[in-house]
């Protein structure tokens, strides 16, 4: 990858690029990779010293460092809420660098950019590492110098500190545990919780990684297609999401989201009539999906068939297609025709009036099956639902894939692939302003901050600039904010099998304005440490209006933990928020200036790929999106080679049988 | 082998590269067949060659026959130690063959022969662990293809061995699962299991069908096995009412999820015929917990064929003059929605009319 080092100041930098991208967020990175493949000269810069912006993955120390900086500043300014407007001293010096006044840089033709740093983007609401573990009581699991134990008796009165502890690691011949009597517990005895917390946050903190925007990918969809088609999938590893859960507003318990025929059949919470109506509606959705899918040839999907799902039987059962009707039942064409008529109706109204679903079922369909963020039309709802159903049964039991090394990998992988195709990468270079052509309101170039203190900014000419909407001073902040909470738990919430689960909390459960999305990950994903008693990383994300209620996600976590049957406890948490921007900025009239606007994050990232595709096709209307070059394709084919003969067991065995013949014959002749 | 496209497979066979490869293999195969079938072929070599050949193609019965003949001829020489080697060898070979083609009749048959012949296992050996291992293996096979009837048959065969059932007295025995008893000249006799052990084994099988039905309630094989176990379950269950409530509730869940899935309806018909009809609670249970919800379902899914048919069959099982009109209504609907079987419904309607005339004449 070509990042310029600080000593080699402007080395390798051209005077002119086709496209300059600012910020290495996921969307820009995808666009950069697509542009580089299409043969454009690309410069991709980022003010930070890591890739990904808000799509990055951060380490535990970095997160703590960031928070303490944020807090110091707030204290210095004597305020707690203004951290969005603060800038660090180093960034102040760069922003104050004036762009030299030359003939064509009259101020109206220069669009200044705000500096994009972590400190300016994120507002921290809290960060807390648990240190006060409850005092000892009967039943508390403790760690003694002789192994693990469980407190059997507390001294009476409590001042007299003599504890009786059953050592659970040992069993005597009479089947009981040996007892340990301790006179001063404070010195030798620690609670299990305390030891777990120390193990995770001190000894194994390097194995913890925090995604700023954790994402999932649909097993079939724009994202997977783009990853496979571009070959970027080779840089990444994935695991199937194990379960999709739904925090039932009525029971306040976590239920499995019924996605296929058998889930519906087995669901303990759905009544018989609910089962019938949900099944009928999902069958209709599959018919609708079938019609929408028809122009696509089937074999295209078969190509990428994976071996993750072990047998055909399993695949069929998990698939949305298990919803298919028995052969003796015809497609309800009248229902399909009716559906076409209601396309612009609100989805919830349609489900209620036409499908006669109960309010509980409507909430389930809208938020857990169609993954609706807010109110959407029937068209949008059905599109999302079909996307979900169509991704079932490809890998594992859910429709989603989890990146094995954190979501931050995704942006990095696309940057790498862009660099392979000749894009130039510069980290620690702050874009200052966009230069506009005098006459025709076109992008002329981009001003970059100098490498060295005191030097003057540099104008690099280009015909297109891709910037995050948040960097444009003219962008309008939206009313809503993204609110996030990351928690580290000791122990595991779900003990059966591997724990990679998504949780959807519909708005009605906590009275939130948007659904809350949760992600539970254990050490089967390589961003969580492998520790004796287990560790869980919990991501909670939602969109709030205005300043919102930062304690919302705390309540959500409490509710999830209340349902846990295991010994789990939060030992670290941080909560932060960042702004969203209005969809239409005033700068859209400038030709060649493309804004990247983050949408409210949902559960999956397919939308980012669609956005990237949109920006790409505006810059290169005639090129294909993210295709692998012919040359690379042949190279890959050669590398994989034709191993058909080596795998031919039949041939091998037959030859060895003939060998037996020859052997015995030669013996016979002797 | 489900889900493979015939066209793709055929196209592959037209590829010249593939054709020449196959021709070379066929040539080798013919040489081997000639050698194995030769009169003077030494038995040890026949064993070695058939092993290789069956690994390539587990279908030809004559190869399995040769193998059995050789094994029988070697039986006198075989010591007990040798028997174990022979046994593990045959089990390994059949397993490999079945992984190659899970529907090879010859391989399944051979495995059954191996386990029931005293040539392979002395009658004195305790083979419980071996048989239980077979159950594990078969579970694996059924995981790969839950519709493999060979697997289900074989499971019943193993269970009947575990139970120590004798093929001769199985005709009237409701617990004899294995319909395809094979002819074995040196049949090994296992002692019948104790009553407790018997219950333990059958309960495990009952739970196994439960698991399979929960995996996919359209699994006809699993339901079929459950009906084979049901008489035992009915006889030994203390709380019959709970048992039937649970079974019917499972049927209702399936029927509400997919009214036109025939498997659940088939089980419903079985339970109607074989349930404890002589006990007072049964008609009441059917009435309140099955018929009532089905009436609602009929309103919800009028297009379905099986809802009116199922409702008719349920009502007809406990004929009541008060439901005659409803039964007529069901049949009339079916005449329209399932026109292919119009005459059948006509016949049933005629019977209904005869029933009503019979009522009048007795009055």
């Amino acid at each position: 990858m070509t990042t310029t080092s600080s000593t080699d100041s402007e080395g390798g930098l051209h005077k002119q690029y086709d496209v300059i991208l600012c910020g290495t967020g996921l969307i820009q990175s995808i666009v950069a990779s697509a542009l580089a493949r299409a043969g454009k000269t690309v410069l991709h810069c980022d003010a930070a010293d890591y890739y990904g912006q808000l799509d990055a993955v951060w380490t535990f120390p970095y997160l703590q460092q960031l928070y303490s900086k944020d807090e110091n500043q707030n204290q210095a300014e004597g305020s707690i809420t203004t951290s969005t407007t603060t800038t660090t001293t180093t960034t102040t010096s760069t922003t104050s660098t004036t762009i030299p006044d030359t003939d064509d840089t009259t101020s109206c033709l220069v669009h200044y950019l705000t500096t994009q740093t972590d400190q300016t983007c994120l507002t921290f609401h809290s960060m807390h590492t648990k240190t006060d573990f409850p005092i000892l009581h009967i039943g508390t699991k403790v760690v003694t110098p002789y192994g693990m134990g469980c407190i059997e008796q507390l001294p009476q009165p409590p001042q007299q500190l003599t504890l009786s502890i059953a050592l659970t690691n040992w069993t005597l011949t009479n089947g009981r545990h040996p007892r340990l009597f301790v006179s001063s517990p404070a010195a030798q005895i620690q609670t299990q919780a305390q030891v777990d917390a120390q193990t995770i946050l001190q000894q194994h903190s390097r194995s913890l990684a925090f995604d700023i925007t954790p994402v999932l990918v649909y097993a079939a969809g724009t994202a997977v297609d783009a990853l496979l088609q571009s070959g970027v999938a080779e840089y990444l590893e994935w695991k199937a999401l194990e379960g999709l859960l739904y925090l039932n507003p009525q029971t306040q318990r976590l239920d499995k989201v019924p996605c296929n025929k058998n889930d519906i059949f087995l669901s303990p919470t759905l009544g018989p009539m609910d089962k019938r109506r949900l099944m009928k509606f999902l069958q209709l959705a599959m018919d609708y999906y079938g019609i929408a899918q028809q122009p696509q040839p089937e074999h295209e999907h078969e190509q990428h068939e994976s071996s993750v799902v072990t047998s055909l039987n399993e695949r069929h059962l998990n698939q949305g297609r298990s919803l298919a009707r028995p052969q003796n039942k015809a497609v309800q064409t009248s229902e399909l025709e009716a559906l076409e008529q209601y396309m612009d109706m609100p989805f919830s109204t349609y489900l209620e009036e036409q499908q006669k679903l109960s309010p509980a079922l409507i909430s389930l369909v809208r938020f857990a099956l169609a993954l609706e963020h807010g109110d959407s039309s029937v068209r949008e709802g059905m599109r999302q639902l079909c996307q979900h159903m169509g991704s079932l049964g490809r890998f594992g039991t859910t429709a989603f894939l989890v990146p094995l090394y954190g979501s931050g990998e995704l942006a990095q992988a696309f940057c790498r692939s862009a660099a392979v195709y000749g894009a130039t990468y510069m980290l620690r270079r702050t874009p200052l302003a966009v230069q506009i052509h005098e006459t025709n309101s076109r992008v002329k170039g981009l001003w970059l901050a100098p490498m060295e203190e005191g030097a003057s900014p540099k104008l690099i000419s280009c015909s297109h600039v891709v910037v995050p909407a948040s960097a444009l001073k003219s962008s309008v902040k939206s009313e809503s904010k993204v609110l996030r909470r990351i928690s580290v738990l000791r122990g595991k919430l779900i003990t059966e099998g591997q724990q990679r689960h998504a949780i959807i909390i519909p708005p009605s459960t906590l009275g939130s304005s948007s659904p809350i999305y949760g992600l539970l990950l254990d050490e089967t994903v390589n961003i969580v440490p492998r520790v004796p008693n287990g560790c869980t990383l919990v991501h909670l994300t939602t969109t709030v209006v205005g300043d919102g209620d930062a304690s919302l996600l705390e309540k959500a976590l409490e509710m999830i933990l209340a349902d846990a049957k295991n010994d789990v406890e939060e030992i670290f948490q941080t909560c932060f928020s960042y702004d969203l921007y209005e969809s239409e900025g005033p700068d859209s009239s400038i030709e060649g200036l493309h804004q990247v606007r983050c949408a409210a994050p949902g559960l999956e990232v397919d939308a980012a790929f669609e956005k990237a595709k949109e920006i790409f096709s505006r810059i290169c209307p005639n090129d294909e999106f993210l295709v692998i070059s012919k040359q690379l394709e042949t190279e890959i084919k050669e590398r994989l080679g034709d191993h058909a003969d080596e795998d031919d067991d039949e041939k091998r065995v037959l030859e060895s049988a003939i060998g037996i013949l020859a052997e015995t014959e030669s013996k016979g002749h002797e | 082998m489900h889900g493979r496209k015939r066209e793709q497979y055929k196209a592959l066979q037209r590829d010249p590269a593939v054709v020449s490869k196959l021709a070379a293999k066929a040539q080798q195969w013919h040489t081997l067949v000639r050698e194995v079938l030769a009169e003077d072929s030494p038995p040890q070599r026949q064993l070695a060659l058939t092993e290789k050949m069956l690994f390539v193609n587990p279908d030809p019965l004559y190869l399995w026959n040769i193998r059995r003949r050789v094994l029988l001829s070697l039986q006198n020489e075989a010591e007990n130690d040798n028997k174990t080697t022979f046994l593990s060898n045959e089990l390994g070979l059949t397993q490999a063959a079945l992984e190659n083609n899970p529907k090879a009749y010859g391989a399944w048959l051979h495995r059954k022969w191996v386990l029931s012949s005293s040539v392979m296992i002395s009658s004195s050996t305790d083979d419980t662990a071996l048989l239980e291992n077979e159950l594990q293996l078969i579970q694996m096979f059924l995981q790969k293809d839950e519709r493999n009837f060979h697997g289900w048959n074989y499971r019943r065969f193993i269970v009947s061995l575990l139970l120590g059932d004798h093929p001769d007295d199985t005709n009237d025995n409701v617990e004899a699962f294995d319909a395809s008893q094979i002819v074995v000249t040196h049949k090994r006799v296992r002692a019948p299991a104790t009553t407790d052990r018997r219950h333990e084994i059958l309960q495990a099988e009952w739970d196994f069908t439960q698991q399979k039905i929960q995996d996919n309630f359209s699994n006809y094989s699993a339901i079929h096995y459950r009906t084979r176990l049901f008489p035992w379950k009915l006889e030994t269950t203390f709380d019959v009412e709970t048992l039937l409530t649970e079974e019917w509730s499972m049927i209702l869940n399936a029927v509400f999820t997919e009214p036109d899935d025939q498997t659940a309806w088939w089980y419903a018909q079985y339970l109607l015929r074989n349930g404890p009809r002589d006990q007072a609670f049964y008609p009441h249970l059917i009435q309140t917990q099955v018929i009532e919800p089905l009436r609602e379902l009929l309103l919800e899914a009028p297009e379905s064929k099986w809802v009116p048919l199922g409702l008719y069959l349920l009502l007809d099982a406990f004929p009541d003059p008060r439901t005659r009109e409803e039964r007529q209504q069901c049949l009339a609907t079916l005449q329209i929605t399932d026109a292919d079987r119009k005459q059948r419904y006509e016949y049933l309607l005629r019977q209904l009319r005869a029933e009503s005339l019979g009522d009048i004449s007795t009055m």
Side-chain angles (χ1 to χ4, degrees), chain A residues 645-663:
Chain A
D645 237 30
E646 286 168 32
D647 294 339
D648 195 346
D649 276 349
E650 283 187 2
K651 193 177 166 194
R652 212 166 30 78
V653 174
L654 279 174
E655 270 162 10
S656 80
I658 296 284
I660 294 176
L661 281 190
E663 216 173 87

Side-chain angles (χ1 to χ4, degrees), chain B residues 275-295:
Chain B
R277 298 187 53 125
D278 48 343
Q279 295 195 29
F281 79 86
Y282 200 51
H284 179 70
L285 179 122
I286 302 264
Q287 183 63 39
T288 56
Q289 296 187 37
V290 188
I291 292 180
E292 282 305 324
L294 279 182
R295 286 186 175 132

